[in-house]
Amino acid sequence: MPQVRVQPGRSAFVGRERELAELVSIVDGPPSARFRFVQIVGEPGIGKSRLLAELADAARDKGQEVLLGRASEFETCRPFGVFADALDDHFAALGPAWYERLGAVTVARCAAVFPAFGAVSQDNLGAERHVLHRAVRAALEAVVGRAGLVVVLDDLHWADVASLELLDHLVRRPGRGRLTFVVAHRPRQLSVAGHTMLARAMSDGHGHRLELGPLSQEATALLLGAEAGKARVAGLHRASQGNPFYLQALATVTDPVLWQQTPAELSEELPAHVRAALLSEVDRLSPLARLVVRGAAVAGEPVDAELVAVTSVLPVTQVRAALDEALAADVFRGGTGARAVEFRHPLLRHLVYDASPLSWRDGAHRRLAEVLHRRGAAPEARARHLELTARPGDTAAVEVLVEAARRVRFRAPATAARWLAAALGLVPAVSTEDRVELQVELADALTAAGRTEEGVEVLRRLIRGRRPGNSPAQTRAVVLWSTIERWLSQFRAVAPVLRAELATVDESDPVTAATLHHELAYVEHALGNQEVAEAHATAVARTPPVPEVRGLQASACGLLSYNRFQQRDIPAAAEWIDRSIADFDALTDEELAQHLLAIEHSHWAGLFQGRYPDTVRQARRILALAGGSGHHLVVLRSQLRAATALYMLGELVEAEQFAEEAIEVATLVGQPFELALSLLLTSEIAGDRGDLDRSVRLAEEVVELARKHELRSMGPAVFQLAEARRISGRPVDLAADFAELSYEHPSRRVWELPSFQLEQLVAHATALGDFHYAEQALKHCQGLAHELLRGSTGHALLSEALFLLARKESDRAAELARAAMTSFAADGLPFNVGKAHFTLGAALAEAGQRAQALAELDRAIVLFTECGAGRWVEQTVKLQRKQGRRVPKAAPRVSPGELTVRETEIAELISQGFPNKAIAERLVLSERTVTTHVSNILAKTGLTSRTALAAHVLRAANGE
């Protein structure tokens, strides 16, 4: 039977005992369930906030820390607003020692999200979002106690996009500690981004969803009290449809006619009879208190008497007296102890704001903006009020809105886009150049926010309305539009516009001509017009090398190399890539920064030709310049190229780090193709490092994503799923489950596989006993081999060695494995050298040459350990054991339990091959702190080197 619970300053709690018990059981679940995510959904006023308050009390009673925040309808443009509301006061109460332990880098980054961490430095205004997300995760990990931390986020439907992105990151990568997120929202008002984030949160098994329905008539009777007669209870229950907020509002009405003639169903967001009941509460206040309540609705929450004095144009003393009156009438709540004064319910604030005269509201917002300006408030604080009240031609408002947008564009590009759009609406149509610049900036912000189609549409409108003749701003707009259209594979309408623009260029302006030639080269290449593309690229390459053009020339040479590579003219491709790399290396940082978008495309040619060290070096340099530039796609693709090249070079740990960052950025900016490539690479790395379940899970995700978006080049993803299943011990039937990998299949997916995957395919097919298929893959791999393509010859040799070893031709297999080893070593590919040692060891073991086999396997273990390839280490150890080898156990001075939690974590990362710098980045610590921890670990264990520590941790993981 329902019971009534009453607490001071809160509505009665009734009819939700079952829901509360369910929530408490989730939040107070077994310690092994480290992360939990709960969403409570329901219509406005159904009791979500009241249930959250009870849950917070129950969690505190069980010793858990609870932090509550609420998004506001009137502050949807405040970046990370709901997180700041929940966490900032808690962070502000922590002492200097906590901030010192967290590290200066993390503190500086968190300042872009939480005011408690101090002023935002200019450097961190431009920090990439995924970097800020990792810093916040580290700060949360640092405050989670043993009993756990519960973060409650109410009214999530009003949360800004930056908050939703941060929550998405924290749910997908919750980190260490017993952390629970509980969110409440109205599903009909939740944005598409919010629904997408919640769907991901629910898909991984951590999520719970609780939907609140109407109260029963029995609960309604308890809420109204014993003095309410049956007829009144029935009438109010019918009128409120069991909504407790509506019920309490209607119960204050003395005239029952208002609620006796209500419809059978409530379809409005705030039904008329409930609206009338709520307004009658405010109308019963004195005129002065009504004015103050209106002023508070504009000024925001928590209620600040001094700001309300500004909006209502009253002395502060009168405002405070009126606030007391509104508190006594239950329009406001709070004001006791540390509790801030707030409206009783967000719906009440919404109603009061909406009912206020428009002209009065505009004046109140203007007065607030002026006061905030005099107080030295940041442009972001003033922008919210100016976007609501500024009039066309208000250049001062335009300046504030644009400055505010630029300050948040990297942290919260969706908010930046909103303010830029508002500024654009204030700029007169005659200010052509100003409008063009703002439109380009708006398109860039929309693209960064993952709203690429909207960004492109802004540019399309700009291009359609452009005037004849060139201007620098117009040319930049055309080239940016073309670049984004190419990224979206929507480039057919671009070429005519570029040609028309090029036709108007004066011969005395080679820079503009080269810029348009360069863009046309890539567009024609995408259209399949390779001869035309080469003509445009050659025109760029032959332009006099002035500083404004040199970056474009490096890119054009890269395109020429790629075209020759596709035509299998490998010598010509190598010549062009040599020039491209040389031209790139000769660029100054200023020249490179000027052409980041253009140059980004050219480096794939080097990657495809095995120029891995050059690719890594170029990617690092681009990332150093692109970080904080707003060029999110440049950052994304550079991370992806760096990860791929590092993987091929055997730097698995760093490759994984870049790939995971690429996943974060691709998710943020909504790029499914790059997301698929990042997931694919991470799956491959996870398989080599020994995380087999994750490898399978990621491969399944990438295949699903590729099919959903009909992405090109799906072959590598399909094969990786088959390979991940095989190495994890799951059953695989290539013919039945992966028919599209057949050489006879019309999709020709198998022809998309690179050399290293074809080598894996040979091993895969022979393991399944399909030698015909293995021979087809072997011939395919041999056909791709060329002495100028790094690694391709080695993969062909090793593929044949694996094929012959499976056929018990061990002598010839050993000979080919040695040749592969030599080839890979000459190309600087240590991971593949290790695989060749492994194959040679297996061949020698098959031939009965035990001592030589063990020696080769020892060499393989050294290389695999250095590369961080845990699965290959395990495979090699198993093969050694088959040969009778007993691996000695280490005897450290302390047991693992005597290391601290942080020391254990660092030791595990060292065993995975992470250098100190990478560990510091991953754990969001200073490199110096990591160095100190490593010294302490070595001293405690009695080990003398990182290599010895890594070997010990790996042996312990293997149960040795």
Side-chain angles (χ1 to χ4, degrees):
M1 177 179 177
Q3 296 179 340
V4 179
R5 185 184 307 161
V6 180
Q7 289 180 289
R10 293 182 185 172
S11 305
F13 184 74
V14 60
R16 302 295 189 200
E17 293 80 10
R18 180 189 60 79
E19 290 91 342
L20 178 60
E22 182 179 345
L23 286 174
V24 171
S25 69
I26 295 170
V27 173
D28 192 44
S32 57
R34 307 293 291 174
F35 177 74
R36 303 167 183 82
F37 180 83
V38 184
Q39 56 169 319
I40 302 172
V41 302
E43 66 183 54
I46 201 66
K48 301 182 295 295
S49 300
R50 186 67 183 85
L51 181 59
L52 289 176
E54 290 294 321
L55 173 63
D57 288 344
R60 289 191 184 101
D61 289 344
K62 293 180 178 294
Q64 296 200 61
E65 184 83 45
V66 181
L67 304 176
L68 297 97
R70 191 180 78 193
S72 168
E73 174 187 5
F74 301 91
E75 296 180 352
T76 56
C77 59
R78 179 187 172 198
F80 306 104
V82 69
F83 277 94
D85 192 51
L87 303 173
D88 197 60
D89 287 345
H90 183 75
F91 285 135
L94 299 172
W98 182 86
Y99 284 91
E100 187 176 347
R101 287 194 304 273
L102 192 61
V105 173
T106 304
V107 169
R109 289 172 178 170
C110 284
V113 181
F114 303 109
F117 285 79
V120 188
S121 69
Q122 195 62 37
D123 290 341
N124 284 293
L125 277 175
E128 299 291 340
R129 283 173 285 169
H130 66 285
V131 174
L132 297 181
H133 295 171
R134 288 203 306 270
V136 173
R137 186 180 70 202
L140 273 174
E141 289 176 349
V143 296
V144 176
R146 288 184 177 276
L149 174 66
V150 180
V151 179
V152 177
L153 305 176
D154 198 2
D155 287 341
L156 194 70
H157 48 277
W158 295 127
D160 62 287
V161 175
S163 290
L164 292 174
E165 290 173 345
L166 176 56
L167 181 59
D168 185 40
H169 171 86
L170 295 171
V171 169
R172 287 185 295 107
R173 298 178 179 274
R176 300 176 304 279
R178 190 178 177 188
L179 178 63
T180 302
F181 276 102
V182 183
V183 304
H185 65 91
R186 308 172 194 168
R188 284 190 299 172
Q189 291 176 265
L190 188 66
S191 65
V192 173
H195 279 294
T196 301
M197 184 278 297
L198 290 175
R200 274 199 292 261
M202 299 298 290
S203 66
D204 61 4
H206 296 304
H208 303 268
R209 188 177 191 272
L210 181 63
E211 185 165 359
L212 296 187
L215 294 177
S216 66
Q217 186 164 326
E218 184 182 14
T220 297
L222 285 171
L223 196 58
L224 292 173
E227 65 277 7
K230 289 184 178 180
R232 179 175 172 80
V233 168
L236 284 171
H237 181 71
R238 182 180 64 255
S240 66
Q241 295 287 288
N243 184 302
F245 180 72
Y246 296 174
L247 174 66
Q248 290 172 313
L250 292 170
T252 64
V253 178
T254 55
D255 184 1
V257 173
L258 184 65
W259 46 262
Q260 284 177 343
Q261 299 177 353
T262 55
E265 293 186 5
L266 303 181
S267 57
E268 298 176 80
E269 186 67 31
L270 194 61
H273 62 297
V274 177
R275 183 187 301 267
L278 289 169
L279 284 176
S280 71
E281 289 186 53
V282 179
D283 288 343
R284 287 196 290 270
L285 298 173
S286 67
L288 188 68
R290 290 201 298 271
L291 178 59
V292 167
V293 169
R294 283 197 329 211
V298 172
E301 297 174 289
V303 176
D304 181 327
E306 293 185 359
L307 291 181
V308 174
V310 173
T311 56
S312 54
V313 198
L314 291 170
V316 174
T317 52
Q318 288 186 319
V319 168
R320 290 193 174 115
L323 288 175
D324 288 339
E325 181 184 341
L327 278 164
D330 203 30
V331 172
F332 292 136
R333 285 183 179 169
T336 58
R339 293 193 62 199
V341 174
E342 297 178 329
F343 279 87
R344 183 176 83 238
H345 195 281
L347 284 173
L348 185 55
R349 180 185 175 192
H350 166 87
L351 181 59
V352 170
Y353 183 90
D354 197 46
S356 301
L358 179 60
S359 59
W360 181 88
R361 271 199 330 246
D362 281 358
H365 279 295
R366 282 183 173 278
R367 290 191 290 276
L368 264 183
E370 291 170 4
V371 168
L372 290 171
H373 177 52
R374 288 199 298 270
R375 289 184 178 183
E380 303 95 295
R382 299 155 56 198
R384 181 174 75 87
H385 301 289
L386 290 174
E387 71 170 319
L388 294 171
T389 60
R391 299 289 183 266
D394 188 340
T395 56
V398 170
E399 289 177 5
V400 173
L401 289 166
V402 171
E403 185 183 357
R406 288 171 180 168
R407 284 173 59 87
V408 304
R409 59 183 296 216
F410 306 116
R411 295 176 283 152
T415 297
R418 171 174 165 170
W419 286 336
L420 287 168
L424 190 61
L426 303 178
V427 177
V430 294
S431 303
T432 306
E433 284 294 298
D434 290 342
R435 290 187 62 81
V436 170
E437 293 287 359
L438 273 179
Q439 284 171 293
V440 171
E441 205 165 337
L442 172 59
D444 192 47
L446 288 167
T447 302
R451 295 156 60 185
T452 310
E453 285 289 357
E454 293 179 58
V456 168
E457 187 54 38
V458 169
L459 293 171
R460 286 173 186 156
R461 290 197 299 270
L462 172 60
I463 301 305
R464 286 195 294 267
R466 74 191 191 285
R467 297 179 179 180
N470 291 98
S471 73
Q474 181 172 298
T475 300
R476 282 197 302 275
V478 169
V479 171
L480 178 61
W481 168 62
S482 173
T483 302
I484 298 175
E485 293 278 27
R486 281 193 291 109
W487 280 334
L488 295 174
S489 298
Q490 299 172 355
F491 36 73
R492 297 194 178 279
V494 171
V497 176
L498 289 169
R499 294 187 197 112
E501 199 77 9
L502 181 60
T504 65
V505 175
D506 193 287
E507 292 183 1
S508 63
D509 186 6
V511 173
T512 301
T515 301
L516 293 168
H517 272 302
H518 175 273
E519 191 58 30
L520 269 166
Y522 277 94
V523 169
E524 297 290 4
H525 169 76
L527 290 169
N529 304 325
Q530 302 309 334
E531 289 187 10
V532 179
E534 288 204 15
H536 284 295
T538 302
V540 178
R542 290 175 178 171
T543 302
V546 295
E548 296 87 350
V549 170
R550 281 156 30 96
L552 298 176
Q553 291 176 319
S555 176
C557 291
L559 178 60
L560 289 166
S561 174
Y562 184 74
N563 278 357
R564 289 298 164 188
F565 173 75
Q566 284 189 316
Q567 297 167 30
R568 297 300 293 173
D569 185 355
I570 304 302
E575 288 182 16
W576 280 116
I577 201 61
D578 285 340
R579 178 178 167 184
S580 176
I581 291 169
D583 286 354
F584 178 91
D585 290 342
L587 294 174
T588 66
D589 283 351
E590 184 178 354
E591 291 169 345
L592 178 56
Q594 185 179 356
H595 294 297
L596 277 176
L597 286 172
I599 290 173
E600 185 277 329
H601 297 281
S602 66
H603 302 307
W604 294 101
L607 184 65
F608 292 148
Q609 293 175 59
R611 303 295 290 267
Y612 305 126
D614 295 315
T615 300
V616 173
R617 187 185 69 257
Q618 291 172 340
R620 290 188 196 281
R621 189 177 175 201
I622 289 174
L623 287 169
L625 289 172
S629 69
H631 294 311
H632 301 285
L633 285 170
V634 173
V635 169
L636 170 58
R637 292 186 172 184
S638 296
Q639 288 170 333
L640 191 49
R641 281 197 309 275
T644 305
L646 287 164
Y647 176 59
M648 300 308 299
L649 289 169
E651 300 286 348
L652 302 193
V653 173
E654 195 172 6
E656 184 177 42
Q657 187 176 359
F658 272 109
E660 288 183 346
E661 288 184 355
I663 290 172
E664 293 298 314
V665 179
T667 302
L668 285 171
V669 300
Q671 293 294 312
F673 180 66
E674 284 75 9
L675 177 58
L677 291 180
S678 305
L679 290 167
L680 170 61
L681 182 58
T682 309
S683 173
E684 292 167 342
I685 296 169
D688 286 326
R689 289 172 60 70
D691 193 346
L692 302 183
D693 289 340
R694 184 171 186 242
S695 180
V696 172
R697 186 172 67 252
L698 290 169
E700 290 172 342
E701 187 176 346
V702 71
V703 169
E704 181 183 351
L705 183 69
R707 287 181 172 146
K708 176 183 177 182
H709 293 278
E710 299 181 349
L711 301 178
R712 61 187 185 276
S713 302
M714 273 183 56
V718 174
F719 171 71
Q720 174 56 24
L721 177 56
E723 178 69 358
R725 287 180 179 174
R726 182 185 73 85
I727 64 176
S728 65
R730 292 166 170 82
V732 177
D733 186 333
L734 284 174
D737 301 331
F738 300 95
E740 57 200 309
L741 291 177
S742 166
Y743 278 90
E744 289 73 38
H745 196 275
S747 70
R748 297 179 61 82
R749 296 287 187 210
V750 73
W751 294 100
E752 299 169 353
L753 269 57
S755 294
F756 80 91
Q757 278 196 320
L758 289 170
E759 175 198 307
Q760 295 173 353
L761 180 56
V762 170
H764 188 126
T766 56
L768 297 176
D770 191 342
F771 285 92
H772 173 68
Y773 186 31
E775 189 170 12
Q776 287 180 299
L778 171 58
K779 290 178 179 178
H780 182 182
C781 187
Q782 290 171 332
L784 296 181
H786 193 287
E787 61 181 2
L788 294 177
L789 301 180
R790 182 177 302 205
S792 63
T793 300
H795 289 303
L797 290 167
L798 192 56
S799 296
E800 188 173 2
L802 291 165
F803 181 78
L804 293 174
L805 180 59
R807 298 183 63 168
K808 306 301 182 183
E809 298 180 33
S810 55
D811 290 342
R812 178 61 178 153
E815 182 182 339
L816 288 166
R818 287 191 181 94
M821 191 190 310
T822 301
S823 179
F824 284 136
D827 288 339
L829 304 175
F831 185 27
N832 291 297
V833 173
K835 292 181 182 180
H837 277 295
F838 177 86
T839 305
L840 177 56
L844 292 171
E846 180 70 24
Q849 301 177 46
R850 177 179 178 276
Q852 296 94 320
L854 290 173
E856 292 299 331
L857 296 174
D858 283 339
R859 296 183 183 101
I861 284 180
V862 171
L863 289 167
F864 291 148
T865 301
E866 289 175 352
C867 292
R871 180 176 71 86
W872 287 91
V873 172
E874 292 174 9
Q875 292 290 103
T876 310
V877 168
K878 287 179 182 177
L879 189 51
Q880 286 183 323
R881 285 176 178 154
K882 285 183 180 180
Q883 298 301 306
R885 167 71 67 84
R886 295 184 62 187
V887 182
K889 296 181 181 179
R893 291 180 188 172
V894 299
S895 66
E898 292 181 59
L899 295 177
T900 66
V901 173
R902 181 65 87 186
E903 287 169 348
T904 301
E905 187 175 33
I906 290 173
E908 289 173 354
L909 291 173
I910 289 172
S911 74
Q912 296 170 29
F914 280 86
N916 283 4
K917 185 176 181 181
I919 293 173
E921 181 69 21
R922 172 162 288 217
L923 300 182
V924 201
L925 300 171
S926 71
E927 192 170 351
R928 184 185 218 172
T929 300
V930 173
T931 301
T932 302
H933 278 303
V934 172
S935 298
N936 292 339
I937 293 167
L938 294 177
K940 285 184 177 183
T941 59
L943 299 169
T944 58
S945 68
R946 296 169 66 92
T947 303
L949 175 62
H952 165 64
V953 174
L954 286 169
R955 283 194 294 268
N958 290 329
E960 298 173 6

